[in-house]
Amino acid sequence: MEILIKATQFILSLSFLIVLHELGHFIPAKIFKTRVEKFYLFFDYKFSLVKKKVGETVYGIGWIPLGGYVKISGMIDESMDTEQMKLPAQPWEFRSKPAWQRLIIMLGGVIVNFILGILIYIMITFVWGVEFVKPNDVKQGFAVNETFKEYGFKDGDKITKFNGSEPLDVTDVNKHLFLRGINSLEVIHENGTTETINLPENIGEVMWEKGIMQPFEVRIPPVIDTVTVDSPAEKAGLLKNDKIISVDNTPVSYWHEFTQLVVNSDETMTITFERNGNIQNVTLSTREDKTIGVAPNKSNAINIQHKQYSFLESISKGNSLAIWTLKDYITQFKYVFTKKGATSIGGFIAIGNIFPPTWSWIAFWEITAFLSIMLGFMNLLPIPALDGGHVMFTLYEMLTGQKPNDKFLEYAQITGFILLIALLLLANGNDIVKLFS
């Protein structure tokens, strides 16, 4: 059931983004009186699930869920319709239009992605507001990774400042360390002393290379708050307010210790817990994602504050969230080009697993906004077969006054398509390997 919910959210989000992205090409093409032969959600190699011709355009849904496309007359694209390019150019064709119009048509998709991401973040901020945790609201401090203890941090530290300033949400510390260039953290140790600890300038690279993506974790008592329906935990009989004592006889003091033991277990484990003063044991197995379907009671560990925004305030806050999402994504994109990055690239399974196992509209829209920003950036990369590749060649034409010949564009399109297929195989191959490893 959880897999079905994740898959439904993923397909719905992907379809929504694809249709709007392609509309970004379709609308300016129609404005500039350029013929659009096809408008498709998913690819229709050999046959379509649904199709209907309206005017000069065939609208349809393909059977290969790898994206979508609009086929514009007189353009070398993923359809590789080179026969059309051998005929004399017609006034309604893409190749007959001025370079500035072609540039707008090709940029339309990514512009829609970025605008859509901003609008979704504005909507999220206005409808749901923003939750955050101030430094004083982390009641039992943070658990610290062993590598970070070498810098002077200690278990139980309360983080009060990032680079000399109080953060809006102190639980964002790991993201800020990895992506936003934090060079110092001010902490209050459990003995009451305050210390400012300086960090290496390349701390993000250190985290990446050593696989330390969560060096600080809020210390939460190991008390269950939620048990997911039809999960291994529910089937084993675990209930809300059960206090975890140990996993396979290894004592547990905090929730992060419990989750780590579950992840490192040999799938089947014995959990000892306390219920109404009685000590009990259950034996259960993890799911494929190494979880058992429980969430902790955070009320004794952190105080989550909530701020609601007016519509005008949401515009500013939504824009800020979208901009920071883009900046963070660009910053982490550099890690793709490392040796470790090649094995970390994820495909459709990885993206699908971002969605929660239970339906949540706020989570759905947050992930959709992130994916929209991500797709906008990825499509803007100057790779032939992507929008960015077409933009690159059009800009070259506008700057030099020389248009690349059709044969060159054809070979460039083929090269880019092969590169994208290779990346697609690598990403989804990584997903499959991770499923069985």
Coordinates of all heavy atoms in Angstrom, one line a residue, residues 66 335-350 378 417-435:
L66 N 9.0 8.5 -19.4 CA 10.3 9.1 -19.2 C 10.3 10.6 -19.5 O 11.4 11.2 -19.6 CB 11.3 8.4 -20.1 CG 11.5 6.9 -19.9 CD1 12.5 6.4 -20.9 CD2 12.0 6.7 -18.5
Y335 N 28.9 17.9 -6.7 CA 29.3 16.6 -6.2 C 29.0 15.4 -7.1 O 29.6 14.3 -7.0 CB 28.7 16.3 -4.8 CG 29.1 17.3 -3.7 CD1 28.2 18.2 -3.3 CD2 30.4 17.2 -3.2 CE1 28.6 19.1 -2.3 CE2 30.8 18.1 -2.2 CZ 29.9 19.1 -1.7 OH 30.3 19.9 -0.8
V336 N 28.2 15.7 -8.1 CA 27.9 14.7 -9.1 C 29.2 14.3 -9.9 O 29.3 13.2 -10.3 CB 26.8 15.2 -10.1 CG1 26.7 14.2 -11.3 CG2 25.5 15.4 -9.4
F337 N 30.1 15.2 -10.0 CA 31.3 15.0 -10.8 C 32.4 14.4 -10.1 O 33.6 14.4 -10.5 CB 31.7 16.4 -11.5 CG 30.6 16.9 -12.4 CD1 29.8 18.0 -11.9 CD2 30.4 16.5 -13.6 CE1 28.8 18.5 -12.7 CE2 29.4 17.0 -14.4 CZ 28.6 18.0 -13.9
T338 N 32.2 14.0 -8.8 CA 33.2 13.2 -8.1 C 33.0 11.7 -8.3 O 32.0 11.3 -8.8 CB 33.1 13.5 -6.6 OG1 31.8 13.0 -6.1 CG2 33.1 15.0 -6.3
K339 N 34.0 11.0 -7.9 CA 34.0 9.5 -8.1 C 32.8 9.0 -7.3 O 32.1 8.1 -7.8 CB 35.3 8.9 -7.5 CG 35.3 7.4 -7.7 CD 36.7 6.8 -7.2 CE 36.7 5.3 -7.4 NZ 38.0 4.8 -6.9
K340 N 32.6 9.4 -6.1 CA 31.4 9.0 -5.3 C 30.1 9.4 -5.9 O 29.1 8.7 -5.8 CB 31.6 9.5 -3.9 CG 30.5 9.0 -2.9 CD 30.7 9.6 -1.5 CE 29.6 9.2 -0.6 NZ 29.8 9.7 0.8
G341 N 30.1 10.6 -6.5 CA 28.9 11.1 -7.1 C 28.3 10.3 -8.1 O 27.1 10.2 -8.3
A342 N 29.2 9.6 -8.9 CA 28.7 8.7 -10.0 C 27.8 7.6 -9.5 O 26.8 7.2 -10.1 CB 29.8 8.2 -10.8
T343 N 28.2 7.1 -8.3 CA 27.4 6.0 -7.7 C 26.2 6.5 -6.9 O 25.4 5.7 -6.4 CB 28.3 5.1 -6.9 OG1 28.9 5.9 -5.8 CG2 29.4 4.5 -7.7
S344 N 26.2 7.8 -6.7 CA 25.1 8.3 -5.8 C 23.9 8.9 -6.6 O 22.9 9.2 -6.1 CB 25.7 9.5 -5.0 OG 26.7 9.0 -4.1
I345 N 24.1 9.0 -8.0 CA 23.0 9.5 -8.8 C 21.8 8.5 -8.7 O 22.0 7.3 -8.9 CB 23.5 9.6 -10.3 CG1 24.6 10.6 -10.4 CG2 22.3 10.0 -11.2 CD1 25.2 10.7 -11.8
G346 N 20.7 9.0 -8.5 CA 19.5 8.2 -8.4 C 18.5 8.4 -9.6 O 18.5 9.5 -10.2
G347 N 17.7 7.4 -9.9 CA 16.8 7.4 -10.9 C 15.3 7.6 -10.4 O 15.1 8.2 -9.4
F348 N 14.4 6.9 -11.1 CA 13.0 7.1 -10.8 C 12.7 6.5 -9.4 O 11.8 7.0 -8.7 CB 12.1 6.4 -11.8 CG 12.2 7.1 -13.2 CD1 12.8 6.5 -14.3 CD2 11.8 8.4 -13.3 CE1 12.9 7.2 -15.5 CE2 11.9 9.1 -14.5 CZ 12.5 8.4 -15.6
I349 N 13.3 5.4 -9.0 CA 13.0 4.8 -7.7 C 13.5 5.8 -6.6 O 12.8 6.0 -5.6 CB 13.8 3.4 -7.6 CG1 13.2 2.4 -8.6 CG2 13.6 2.9 -6.1 CD1 13.9 1.1 -8.6
A350 N 14.7 6.4 -6.8 CA 15.2 7.3 -5.8 C 14.3 8.5 -5.7 O 14.0 9.0 -4.5 CB 16.6 7.8 -6.2
M378 N 18.1 21.5 -14.6 CA 18.7 20.5 -15.4 C 18.4 20.7 -16.9 O 19.3 20.4 -17.7 CB 18.1 19.1 -15.0 CG 18.5 18.7 -13.6 SD 20.3 18.4 -13.4 CE 20.4 16.9 -14.4
F417 N 21.4 12.9 -27.1 CA 20.4 11.9 -26.7 C 21.1 10.7 -26.2 O 20.7 10.1 -25.2 CB 19.6 11.6 -28.0 CG 18.4 10.7 -27.7 CD1 17.3 11.1 -27.0 CD2 18.5 9.3 -28.1 CE1 16.2 10.3 -26.8 CE2 17.4 8.5 -27.8 CZ 16.3 9.0 -27.2
I418 N 22.2 10.3 -26.8 CA 23.0 9.1 -26.3 C 23.5 9.4 -24.9 O 23.5 8.5 -24.0 CB 24.2 8.8 -27.3 CG1 23.6 8.3 -28.6 CG2 25.1 7.8 -26.6 CD1 24.7 8.1 -29.7
L419 N 24.0 10.6 -24.7 CA 24.5 11.0 -23.3 C 23.4 10.9 -22.3 O 23.6 10.4 -21.2 CB 25.1 12.4 -23.4 CG 25.6 13.0 -22.0 CD1 26.7 12.1 -21.5 CD2 26.0 14.4 -22.2
L420 N 22.2 11.4 -22.6 CA 21.1 11.4 -21.7 C 20.6 9.9 -21.4 O 20.3 9.6 -20.3 CB 19.9 12.2 -22.2 CG 20.1 13.7 -22.3 CD1 18.9 14.4 -22.9 CD2 20.5 14.3 -20.9
I421 N 20.6 9.1 -22.4 CA 20.3 7.7 -22.2 C 21.3 7.0 -21.3 O 20.9 6.2 -20.4 CB 20.2 6.9 -23.6 CG1 19.0 7.4 -24.4 CG2 20.1 5.4 -23.3 CD1 17.6 7.1 -23.7
A422 N 22.6 7.3 -21.5 CA 23.6 6.7 -20.7 C 23.4 7.2 -19.2 O 23.5 6.4 -18.3 CB 25.0 7.2 -21.2
L423 N 23.1 8.5 -19.0 CA 22.9 9.0 -17.6 C 21.6 8.3 -17.0 O 21.6 8.0 -15.8 CB 22.7 10.5 -17.6 CG 24.0 11.3 -17.9 CD1 23.7 12.8 -18.1 CD2 25.0 11.1 -16.7
L424 N 20.6 8.1 -17.8 CA 19.4 7.5 -17.4 C 19.7 6.0 -17.0 O 19.2 5.6 -15.9 CB 18.3 7.5 -18.5 CG 16.9 7.2 -18.1 CD1 16.3 8.2 -17.2 CD2 16.0 7.1 -19.4
L425 N 20.4 5.3 -17.8 CA 20.8 4.0 -17.4 C 21.6 3.9 -16.1 O 21.4 3.0 -15.3 CB 21.5 3.3 -18.6 CG 20.7 3.0 -19.8 CD1 21.6 2.5 -21.0 CD2 19.6 2.0 -19.6
L426 N 22.6 4.8 -16.0 CA 23.4 4.9 -14.8 C 22.6 5.1 -13.6 O 22.7 4.4 -12.6 CB 24.5 6.0 -15.0 CG 25.3 6.3 -13.7 CD1 26.2 5.1 -13.3 CD2 26.2 7.5 -13.9
A427 N 21.7 6.1 -13.6 CA 20.9 6.5 -12.5 C 20.0 5.4 -12.0 O 19.9 5.0 -10.9 CB 20.1 7.8 -12.8
N428 N 19.3 4.8 -13.0 CA 18.3 3.7 -12.7 C 19.1 2.4 -12.3 O 18.6 1.6 -11.6 CB 17.3 3.6 -13.8 CG 16.3 4.7 -13.8 OD1 15.4 4.8 -13.1 ND2 16.5 5.6 -14.8
G429 N 20.2 2.3 -12.9 CA 21.1 1.1 -12.6 C 21.5 1.2 -11.1 O 21.5 0.2 -10.4
N430 N 21.9 2.4 -10.7 CA 22.2 2.6 -9.3 C 21.1 2.3 -8.4 O 21.3 1.7 -7.3 CB 22.7 4.1 -9.0 CG 24.0 4.4 -9.6 OD1 24.9 3.5 -9.8 ND2 24.3 5.7 -9.8
D431 N 19.9 2.7 -8.8 CA 18.7 2.3 -8.0 C 18.5 0.8 -7.8 O 18.2 0.3 -6.7 CB 17.4 2.9 -8.6 CG 17.3 4.4 -8.4 OD1 18.1 5.0 -7.6 OD2 16.3 5.0 -9.0
I432 N 18.7 0.1 -8.9 CA 18.5 -1.4 -8.9 C 19.6 -2.0 -8.0 O 19.3 -2.9 -7.2 CB 18.5 -1.9 -10.3 CG1 17.3 -1.4 -11.1 CG2 18.6 -3.4 -10.3 CD1 17.4 -1.7 -12.6
V433 N 20.8 -1.5 -8.2 CA 21.9 -2.1 -7.3 C 21.6 -1.9 -5.9 O 21.8 -2.8 -5.0 CB 23.3 -1.5 -7.7 CG1 24.3 -1.8 -6.7 CG2 23.7 -1.9 -9.1
K434 N 21.1 -0.7 -5.5 CA 20.8 -0.4 -4.1 C 19.7 -1.2 -3.6 O 19.6 -1.5 -2.4 CB 20.5 1.1 -4.0 CG 21.7 2.0 -4.1 CD 21.3 3.5 -4.2 CE 22.5 4.3 -4.5 NZ 22.2 5.8 -4.7
L435 N 18.8 -1.6 -4.4 CA 17.7 -2.5 -4.0 C 18.1 -3.8 -3.5 O 17.6 -4.5 -2.6 CB 16.6 -2.7 -5.1 CG 15.6 -1.5 -5.4 CD1 14.8 -1.9 -6.6 CD2 14.8 -1.3 -4.2

